[in-house]
Amino acid sequence: MTEFSHECCNCAVGAYPCLGSSCKQGVAHYYCDECGEEAGQLYQFDGEELCADCVLERLPRVE
């Protein structure tokens, strides 16, 4: 799952005031649908967005 959050970086200066909720400093955070952990990258797998570890757990291992 992808969630966007407003994360202020205090970029306002005298000639460029804070835009408040109109600011474009929205940051994407990616959370695995299986384990719920934040991940740097997600993968579409069986209709879900999963982290690499959860994808590997679901794949059959060849021995």
Side-chain angles (χ1 to χ4, degrees):
M1 141 181 48
T2 303
E3 292 183 359
F4 289 91
S5 65
H6 178 78
E7 296 184 11
C8 183
C9 64
N10 296 318
C11 64
V13 294
Y16 186 73
C18 182
L19 299 174
S21 62
S22 299
C23 182
K24 302 293 184 197
Q25 292 296 332
V27 177
H29 293 273
Y30 304 101
Y31 298 95
C32 177
D33 289 341
E34 177 78 20
C35 68
E37 294 291 320
E38 187 169 5
Q41 187 169 3
L42 296 175
Y43 301 90
Q44 287 286 336
F45 190 81
D46 284 343
E48 296 181 283
E49 295 178 349
L50 304 176
C51 67
D53 291 338
C54 288
V55 170
L56 286 174
E57 285 180 14
R58 289 188 180 189
L59 291 173
R61 188 172 184 178
V62 176
E63 294 186 33

